[in-house]
Amino acid sequence: MAVSGSSARSTLIVQLSPTRNAKLSFTVQLILTLFWLAWAAMLLFSADRTYEQSYLYYAFFGLAVIFFFYVILQNTSIFGVQSYIEVTPQYIVQKFGVFRTKHIIQIPDIAAVHITPLALRVTLKDGDQVYLDLKQVRKKRDLNRIKHKIRDLSEAHQFELTDNVGNNV
């Protein structure tokens, strides 16, 4: 679906780095997965063919391959951007990976936004609060672009905006 008119320039998509909040870094996940693959391959190709349960070696190897692709999908952009924050004139979307749901906030539903150094706290008109974590934004420039875009939307849609000190912006 193509974006038409002036909204094409007003859409901001910023890629996130999912490994910044992972319990194990991408490098550790990759090393462990490659070790698992090597071990499974060694078991599979060195197995005695008369052994009745050799299908378990195939299953172990298959699971290792599936997990390898999962780690690659979640942590790299080989298959496209999977983790991102998108800010448009109509909505804000935060997605944390391939197998995770999108968090969508409609701009007309926003009553207030509080900007902190690494987060946005959005208060909706119905009183609900949504916390958008910005710790995974890769570059400081992208972080500033998101905050600037939110400030522009605040002026256009007349919702309250405060910064981390508590002053009105």
Side-chain angles (χ1 to χ4, degrees):
M1 182 169 88
V3 180
S4 62
S6 65
S7 64
R9 290 182 162 222
S10 59
T11 299
L12 173 66
I13 297 177
V14 175
Q15 185 174 0
L16 302 177
S17 176
T19 58
R20 287 195 182 164
N21 72 347
K23 298 205 185 305
L24 295 174
S25 71
F26 172 62
T27 307
V28 172
Q29 290 178 15
L30 190 61
I31 289 170
L32 290 174
T33 305
L34 291 174
F35 177 72
W36 183 9
L37 274 169
W39 186 26
M42 183 190 67
L43 286 174
L44 184 64
F45 297 121
S46 67
D48 183 12
R49 295 294 174 208
T50 61
Y51 187 58
E52 293 176 1
Q53 295 180 339
S54 64
Y55 67 91
L56 290 176
Y57 295 146
Y58 288 105
F60 190 65
F61 183 75
L63 288 173
V65 169
I66 289 169
F67 189 72
F68 176 74
F69 281 116
Y70 172 78
V71 167
I72 295 296
L73 266 175
Q74 283 297 108
N75 295 297
T76 65
S77 59
I78 293 173
F79 301 105
V81 176
Q82 304 298 331
S83 299
Y84 59 88
I85 292 178
E86 179 180 8
V87 182
T88 71
Q90 295 85 22
Y91 55 84
I92 300 171
V93 176
Q94 187 172 31
K95 182 138 195 277
F96 284 117
V98 179
F99 305 106
R100 297 193 175 103
T101 59
K102 290 181 182 179
H103 301 284
I104 302 173
I105 302 168
Q106 299 287 334
I107 297 294
D109 296 341
I110 296 176
V113 175
H114 179 73
I115 299 175
T116 62
L118 293 176
L120 297 174
R121 188 176 66 228
V122 179
T123 304
L124 302 176
K125 289 181 179 173
D126 62 3
D128 290 341
Q129 287 192 348
V130 180
Y131 180 79
L132 298 176
D133 187 10
L134 302 177
K135 291 178 189 169
Q136 296 176 341
V137 175
R138 293 176 183 230
K139 300 175 186 168
K140 188 168 178 77
R141 179 181 55 93
D142 288 339
L143 188 62
N144 290 333
R145 288 174 52 205
I146 290 172
K147 291 176 182 179
H148 182 70
K149 183 71 173 172
I150 296 295
R151 287 183 179 102
D152 291 346
L153 288 173
S154 167
E155 293 173 8
H157 293 279
Q158 302 300 316
F159 56 81
E160 182 183 349
L161 183 69
T162 56
D163 63 7
N164 60 348
V165 182
N167 301 328
N168 285 341
V169 177

